Amino acid sequence: LMMESAETIVSGARLIQKVLGIQNVIIGIEDNKMDAVEVMRKAAAQYEGFRVEALKTKYPQGGEKQLVYALTGKKVRMGGLPLDLGVIVCNVGTCYAIHRAAYEGRPLVDRVVTVGGTVKKPANYLVRIGTPVEWLIDTSKGLQENTRMLIYGGPMMGMAISREDIPITKGCSGIVALETVSALVKEGACIRCGRCVEACPMRLSPATIDRYTRKDMYEQAEAAGAMNCIECGICSFSCPAKRNL
């Protein structure tokens, strides 16, 4: 989307800037996409208050609170919103859609979807909302024989699906086919290693929240910060005991 529609994205951002009276617009892009950084810098160069920053490639760099900290050095408090700091976050897809709504009178009817993993022809597609997952997989020449699971969404935050006639919605960023799936491995006991605590970008204790929720102690889980979880999946990914955190 950035490579092919940079001017449209910047136009949408300028509309947001004008309507909300925003002084500075910062576009953050991870530094493994320097081609997109250059294209966006060229598109934004003529507008005052716009700048494009290349950020360290680190998951979940695109998370709202993580992005605000990376670009401004300001920390959004637990339970707070970026707006509390005078900041709003919009992704490039939103800016693109705002331009098309304002200048073309066009509602949100399509989105870019990545099809990756163990498919025969991984690709990015611009598809209409409502397109079946089955069509995307067929257009990618089908699944490889070693595929064990389909994920609707990204590999860390998506959910497993058991059928292919599900439609693409406006919030679906991709379809990922996986060969090795840690979720299918039997859970072990928590060994209290603290890796989930070290890995959590929200500075929570996933093991503690997990212990409370398994015992239906929801008030205690909330007190431990469960409502601040951004569901990034890093805790489960880093757990040597394969806990479903």
Side-chain angles (χ1 to χ4, degrees):
L1 194 61
M2 287 187 286
M3 291 298 294
E4 298 183 10
S5 305
E7 290 82 5
T8 306
I9 293 167
V10 171
S11 173
R14 290 187 68 218
L15 280 171
I16 299 171
Q17 181 188 30
K18 181 177 180 180
V19 170
L20 298 181
I22 293 169
Q23 189 172 5
N24 298 308
V25 178
I26 313 172
I27 302 170
I29 306 172
E30 289 178 312
D31 60 11
N32 65 345
K33 306 174 183 68
M34 290 308 296
D35 50 354
V37 170
E38 294 305 319
V39 168
M40 292 298 292
R41 278 179 177 164
K42 185 177 179 181
Q46 59 183 304
Y47 302 115
E48 187 178 350
F50 274 73
R51 79 173 193 265
V52 179
E53 295 278 350
L55 300 173
K56 181 180 178 181
T57 302
K58 181 181 180 181
Y59 180 80
Q61 189 70 277
E64 193 172 59
K65 295 180 179 180
Q66 287 72 31
L67 190 60
V68 170
Y69 179 71
L71 291 174
T72 69
K74 297 178 180 180
K75 292 184 179 181
V76 181
R77 64 178 176 80
M78 285 287 190
L81 296 171
L83 193 60
D84 300 335
L85 301 175
V87 178
I88 66 163
V89 180
C90 294
N91 64 49
V92 292
T94 300
C95 294
Y96 176 79
I98 286 173
H99 168 94
R100 299 182 81 189
Y103 290 108
E104 302 172 21
R106 189 178 179 89
L108 184 63
V109 296
D110 51 28
R111 68 155 297 139
V112 175
V113 178
T114 298
V115 180
T118 54
V119 291
K120 294 179 181 177
K121 186 184 176 184
N124 296 316
Y125 299 102
L126 178 64
V127 298
R128 290 294 178 93
I129 291 170
T131 300
V133 171
E134 183 179 22
W135 182 90
L136 288 167
I137 293 173
D138 288 345
T139 306
S140 292
K141 307 303 180 185
L143 300 171
Q144 297 177 14
E145 293 181 1
N146 56 352
T147 302
R148 298 183 65 193
M149 183 179 284
L150 274 180
I151 303 293
Y152 186 90
M156 296 292 282
M157 299 179 72
M159 57 183 178
I161 56 175
S162 58
R163 46 195 286 185
E164 297 178 10
D165 59 348
I166 298 171
I168 296 298
T169 62
K170 67 177 182 178
C172 179
S173 61
I175 302 296
V176 185
L178 297 180
E179 174 186 3
T180 304
V181 184
S182 60
L184 299 179
V185 179
K186 188 176 180 180
E187 279 188 302
C190 174
I191 60 173
R192 299 180 182 273
C193 64
R195 289 188 190 177
C196 60
V197 180
E198 291 178 0
C200 179
M202 296 304 293
R203 301 291 185 262
L204 303 175
S205 175
T208 301
I209 295 170
D210 176 62
R211 193 158 59 246
Y212 285 136
T213 54
R214 288 174 191 256
K215 295 181 179 180
D216 297 334
M217 299 169 66
Y218 300 119
E219 290 183 7
Q220 291 86 342
E222 185 174 353
M227 300 306 291
N228 292 307
C229 171
I230 61 173
E231 301 182 31
C232 65
I234 293 177
C235 52
S236 293
F237 185 82
S238 63
C239 179
K242 306 301 179 187
R243 304 284 290 172
N244 292 324
L245 299 172

